[in-house]
Structure formats: C-alpha cells, structure tokens
Amino acid sequence: MTITSPHPGSPSVWTDARLLYALEEVVEKELNRHLKIAKDWMPHEYVPWSDGRNFPGFFEDGVAWEKEQSKVTEIGRIALVVNLLTEDNLPSYHHEIASLFGRDGAWGTWVHRWTAEEGRHGIVMRDYLLASRAVDPDKLEQFRMAHMSEGFESDNRHSMLHSVAYVAFQELATRISHRNTGHQSGDPVCDRMLARIATDENLHMVFYRNLLKAAFEIAPDLTMQAVRDVVVNFRMPGHGIPGFERAAAQMAIGEVYNLRIHHDDVLQPVLRFLKIMEIDGLGPEGRQAQEELGLFMGGLDSEASKFDEKLAARKARMAARGA
C-alpha cells in the first residue's frame, strides 16, 4: 500500500482532537456496519440454571462449593476466572475510552454500544460459573474485589492513536482466549457460551482494525509509530489480576494463550490485513518504526519457536510417564 497523501504525520499537525474529528465519518460508517451485522442475544439463555443450587449463607439447604462439583477442567477453570476478571473492569475501560474518544456523535454512540455489549459478557460468564459451580464463588468474589479496587489504567491512555491500535489487537486476543478456553473447558455448555462471546469480540476487533487502517491513510507516520509501540509493549488488560503471572503461565502450557498463539493468531492477522510492511511513502520516523516492528516480529517468532519446543518436550515427558 502506497501512501500518496501529503505527510501530515507530525505531532504539531495531528493532535488527538484533530484525529478524532478526521476519523468521525469512518467511525459512523463502521458503527452502522456493526449495528447491521451484530445480533442481540440473551445471556440467560446460555446459562444452565437447572444445575444451580443454593450456597451456604442465608439458606439452610446451602451446599458448600467443592471442585468435584464442576464439569470444567482445571485449565478451563483457571482461564475462565482470568477471562471474567478481565471483563469485570469494564467501568474503568469505559471511563478511559469515553475520556479519549468522547461521549458525543458517532464516537460516543460507539463507546456506549461497545460498553453495553461487553457488559453482557461479564453477566453471562458469572451466571454460568455460579450456576454450574465451575469455580469457588468466595475466591471469585475476593479476586473481583481486589482486582476492581485497583482500577485499571491502560499503557496507551496518553494517546488516542495508541488506544485504537491497542484495542485492534486486544479485542482479537480476547476473542482467541475465550474461544480456546471454551475448547479446553471440557463442558459443551461453556464452549457454546464462549463461542457466542468470541463472536462479539471479533466484531469489535473488525471495528477497530478498520479504524486503524483509516488512520494510516491520514497520519501514516504517527500510526506506524503507535502500532510499533503497542505491539512491542503489548500486555493483556488482566495483568493486574491477583496471581496473573502464574495463571498466564498455566494458560500458556494449556494452549489457551501463549507466544505462538499471540504471534500467529493475534498479531499477524491484523498486521497482514493492514499490509503493514508494504506501506510506502513514510517519513524517517515512520520508516524507523516499520523496520523496528519487522525486527520485533522476527524475534517474537523465534521466541515462539523456542516455546513450542519446550511445550512439545513437556508433552513427550508426560506421555512417557502415562505410558
């Protein structure tokens, strides 16, 4: 893709306010497309309510939670808690994007619509976990309180372009994490629920990905730098969850989300769509960011290959022990 427009890529030309104004028509177009494609669905229809029982507390017939009550696998349980706690910080996410994108016009309509759709994800996941007794409800609530009490501030809150770039990748990462969690859960009901959530997340990714493409057309140098920064420093929004590092390591081994998945299924699809390494006509800072991005992706692929080898060796050891 060749950039033929003048180079308005310096911070002195493109402020956040000017970018928001310049992209307003694109946001309206993408919002209308989203509203035509997105299908409303009812969270309560995905929850196995008949499996539910009272917990101890106010009910005399309450039954305490035990791991054996759950149909969900151990890795499924770990990933479900991480995925739900990530969704729980929705108030902080809404505050941040509403502050960056505004609450008026097409931007504001999108912010509120996105928040409403994401809210459904937290509702259905929590209802499923409690009705199916997939996780310890006391620990889940303790984790929720600890996580939300810390709040959330994105690494990209300083820049509207960085935020758009981040969510283009993060929404796809969330889709992949939910989908793989469903596959690994061992419960068809859970798999069906997370597939429904993943469909929403994919539509959110498409919205932001298309918006990012439009940003390249009007501010190529700044957008390339934003993508470089986001990809190199990418962190999932759940990194503040208590015990996240251990849970992330278990999810990596369990093939819910790891370096290979991050490289192949999250970063590469968006970068390929944007034809990021084919963009021409960049200024010095844009070209440098493009080169650094290419070098980083090559290094990440090498790191992912090393992880693949370690994971394969671990599987072989476990298979040998089982034999």
Side-chain angles (χ1 to χ4, degrees), residues 84-122:
L84 175 56
L85 292 178
T86 299
E87 300 282 0
D88 275 334
N89 253 335
L90 183 60
S92 288
Y93 307 150
H94 174 84
H95 173 76
E96 186 164 299
I97 65 170
S99 299
L100 278 168
F101 300 157
R103 294 174 172 82
D104 301 317
W107 280 104
T109 302
W110 168 253
V111 166
H112 297 309
R113 173 72 188 199
W114 174 88
T115 302
E117 291 185 5
E118 290 288 347
R120 271 199 293 230
H121 302 167

Side-chain angles (χ1 to χ4, degrees), residues 21-271:
Y21 180 78
L23 290 168
E24 177 87 21
E25 289 186 8
V26 180
V27 172
E28 183 175 5
K29 175 185 174 183
E30 291 301 317
L31 172 64
N32 290 334
R33 180 196 56 76
H34 177 85
L35 294 175
K36 287 179 181 179
I37 296 174
K39 296 181 180 179
D40 274 339
W41 53 279
M42 302 299 125
H44 54 269
E45 294 179 355
Y46 288 80
V47 178
W49 298 105
S50 60
D51 292 348
R53 284 170 286 173
N54 291 335
F55 288 103
F58 293 104
F59 298 100
E60 293 182 1
D61 63 344
V63 178
W65 181 83
E66 294 180 5
K67 186 180 293 186
E68 294 72 22
Q69 297 166 352
S70 174
K71 302 174 184 177
V72 174
T73 61
E74 182 65 19
I75 187 58
R77 185 160 38 249
I78 292 167
L80 278 163
V81 170
V82 170
N83 291 353
L84 175 56
L85 292 178
T86 299
E87 300 282 0
D88 275 334
N89 253 335
L90 183 60
S92 288
Y93 307 150
H94 174 84
H95 173 76
E96 186 164 299
I97 65 170
S99 299
L100 278 168
F101 300 157
R103 294 174 172 82
D104 301 317
W107 280 104
T109 302
W110 168 253
V111 166
H112 297 309
R113 173 72 188 199
W114 174 88
T115 302
E117 291 185 5
E118 290 288 347
R120 271 199 293 230
H121 302 167
I123 290 169
V124 71
M125 288 178 69
R126 174 166 281 100
D127 286 348
Y128 165 80
L129 292 178
L130 296 179
S132 68
R133 292 186 167 240
V135 300
D136 183 335
D138 293 344
K139 287 186 177 179
L140 182 65
E141 179 60 12
Q142 290 162 7
F143 283 154
R144 187 189 71 85
M145 287 296 294
H147 185 44
M148 290 192 68
S149 295
E150 290 295 322
F152 176 81
E153 289 187 340
S154 167
D155 299 329
N156 305 288
R157 62 189 180 280
H158 62 287
S159 160
M160 169 266 186
L161 267 182
H162 281 72
S163 295
V164 170
Y166 175 73
V167 290
F169 295 103
Q170 184 268 323
E171 292 284 0
L172 182 53
T174 304
R175 171 190 178 270
I176 295 297
S177 181
H178 282 312
R179 202 68 193 92
N180 288 344
T181 298
H183 292 331
Q184 301 286 0
S185 70
D187 181 8
V189 174
C190 179
D191 193 22
R192 183 168 58 246
M193 171 194 67
L194 291 177
R196 176 60 261 186
I197 293 174
T199 299
D200 282 359
E201 301 290 8
N202 196 64
L203 291 179
H204 298 164
M205 178 277 293
V206 170
F207 178 95
Y208 287 116
R209 183 197 65 184
N210 292 351
L211 190 56
L212 191 58
K213 182 180 179 181
F216 266 112
E217 294 173 0
I218 64 173
D221 286 328
L222 283 182
T223 307
M224 185 66 76
Q225 292 172 71
V227 170
R228 183 264 324 269
D229 294 344
V230 164
V231 169
V232 169
N233 300 299
F234 186 87
R235 294 195 296 173
M236 289 292 276
H239 60 79
I241 293 171
F244 177 77
E245 289 75 14
R246 176 175 171 77
Q250 292 169 307
M251 290 168 67
I253 294 171
E255 297 183 87
V256 172
Y257 200 95
N258 55 39
L259 277 180
R260 175 54 63 199
I261 293 169
H262 182 61
H263 177 277
D264 291 0
D265 300 337
V266 176
L267 298 182
Q268 285 284 34
V270 176
L271 296 178

